[in-house]
């Protein structure tokens, strides 16, 4: 069943407008009576089409329910910016696995160092990748790719999370030792190709961020966050 996202839905007079409406009418060639799903604020609304105009699709809501694909934890990925198009791959797969937000971070060992103005130009594409991944995986929200932040800004933001962790190749506890019971928000900080330097790891620990180790094997920077998200979803019973 086709799936569309709205920031808000008027349950009395539900409709889809703009590009999505044109896609429904012109590309999908849907007709009145056909069914689709509208996702808004983590709720799935199963609808049938009442009527279609040039730029609006009017709907009837048949039933609604909380999106079963949404995890019970809110996981934010703080990802040090990698080279080339690796960030696009990380965003796509992180959304599919259940991440609620992706925060790109500039750390000391980042080879790719876009300034904030240049990065803002890329955000539209990155958020479109997140949107398409959310549709494909049946998510109930569209995870946001935020503006790029510094290491210190990332650490400060992570203080507000119930369970802030940093992947650190030089050592830490294992995920099996991480206390996740009754945690609602998780922040996962992952380095770029060069990982984190010792001063960054110490600064994170001083801020209350737990360093976690993935073992002896060295994972690529695009593999590590997806492995860690998968583990976190598993140990919190979301996989």
């Amino acid at each position: 069943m086709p799936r569309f996202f709205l920031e808000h839905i008027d349950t009395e007079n539900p409709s889809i407008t703009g590009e999505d409406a044109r896609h429904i009418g012109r590309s999908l060639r849907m007709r009145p009576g056909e069914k689709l799903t509208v996702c808004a604020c983590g709720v799935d609304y199963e609808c049938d089409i009442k009527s279609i105009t040039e730029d609006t699709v009017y709907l009837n809501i048949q039933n609604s329910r909380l999106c079963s694909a949404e995890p019970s934890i809110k996981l934010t990925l703080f990802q040090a910016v990698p080279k080339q198009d690796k960030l696009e791959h990380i965003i796509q797969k992180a959304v599919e696995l259940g991440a609620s937000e992706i925060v790109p971070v500039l750390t000391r060992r980042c080879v790719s160092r876009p300034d904030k103005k240049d990065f803002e130009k890329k955000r539209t594409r990155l958020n479109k990748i997140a949107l398409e991944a959310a549709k494909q995986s049946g998510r109930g929200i569209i995870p946001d790719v935020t503006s790029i932040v510094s290491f210190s800004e990332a650490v400060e933001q992570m203080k507000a999370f119930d369970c802030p962790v940093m992947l650190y190749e030089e050592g830490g506890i294992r995920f099996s030792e991480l206390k996740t019971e009754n945690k609602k928000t998780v922040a996962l900080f992952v380095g770029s190709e060069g990982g984190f330097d010792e001063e960054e790891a110490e600064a994170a620990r001083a801020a209350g961020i737990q360093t976690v180790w993935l073992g002896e094997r060295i994972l690529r920077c695009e593999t590590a966050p997806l492995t860690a998200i998968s583990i976190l979803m598993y140990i919190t019973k979301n996989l």
Side-chain angles (χ1 to χ4, degrees), residues 129-220:
I129 289 170
L131 169 62
E132 293 304 320
K135 287 181 178 179
Q136 186 276 326
S137 56
R139 295 290 302 273
I141 64 167
I142 307 170
D144 184 40
V145 181
T146 73
S147 299
I148 199 167
V149 301
S150 67
F151 176 84
S152 59
E153 289 171 326
V155 168
E156 189 62 31
Q157 289 182 31
M158 290 176 70
K159 291 179 181 178
F161 286 75
D162 297 337
C163 183
V165 298
M166 168 190 272
L167 289 191
Y168 188 47
E169 63 276 13
E170 298 300 323
I173 66 170
R174 293 184 179 274
F175 273 108
S176 59
E177 302 172 88
L178 187 66
K179 304 300 183 185
T180 59
E181 296 85 356
N182 302 315
K183 307 295 187 185
K184 298 298 184 184
T185 58
V186 176
L188 173 65
F189 203 171
V190 182
S192 61
E193 290 83 359
F196 297 104
D197 69 19
E198 187 175 348
E199 287 187 11
E200 288 175 326
E202 286 302 320
R205 290 192 187 106
I209 298 168
Q210 178 71 67
T211 53
V212 179
W213 185 52
L214 280 173
E216 298 288 352
R217 288 181 297 280
I218 299 172
L219 302 183
R220 293 179 181 273

Side-chain angles (χ1 to χ4, degrees), residues 5 33 35 49 55 71 80 82 84 125 151 181 199 205 220:
F5 286 89
K35 299 182 183 301
I49 297 173
D55 59 1
Q84 300 171 341
R125 172 171 170 73
F151 176 84
E181 296 85 356
E199 287 187 11
R205 290 192 187 106
R220 293 179 181 273

Side-chain angles (χ1 to χ4, degrees), residues 12 22 25-26 50 77 126 168 179 197 199 217 224:
E12 297 298 320
R22 290 187 287 274
R26 297 177 186 175
K50 181 163 61 175
L77 172 64
L126 296 176
Y168 188 47
K179 304 300 183 185
D197 69 19
E199 287 187 11
R217 288 181 297 280

Side-chain angles (χ1 to χ4, degrees), residues 3-5 9 36-47 61-70 138-141:
R3 192 175 186 86
F4 298 91
F5 286 89
I9 187 168
L36 53 79
T37 300
V38 173
C39 309
C41 304
V43 177
D44 285 352
Y45 296 88
E46 292 184 5
C47 307
I61 296 174
Q62 299 302 323
N63 59 68
S64 63
R65 65 181 184 277
L66 289 175
C67 179
S68 59
E70 282 306 303
R139 295 290 302 273
I141 64 167

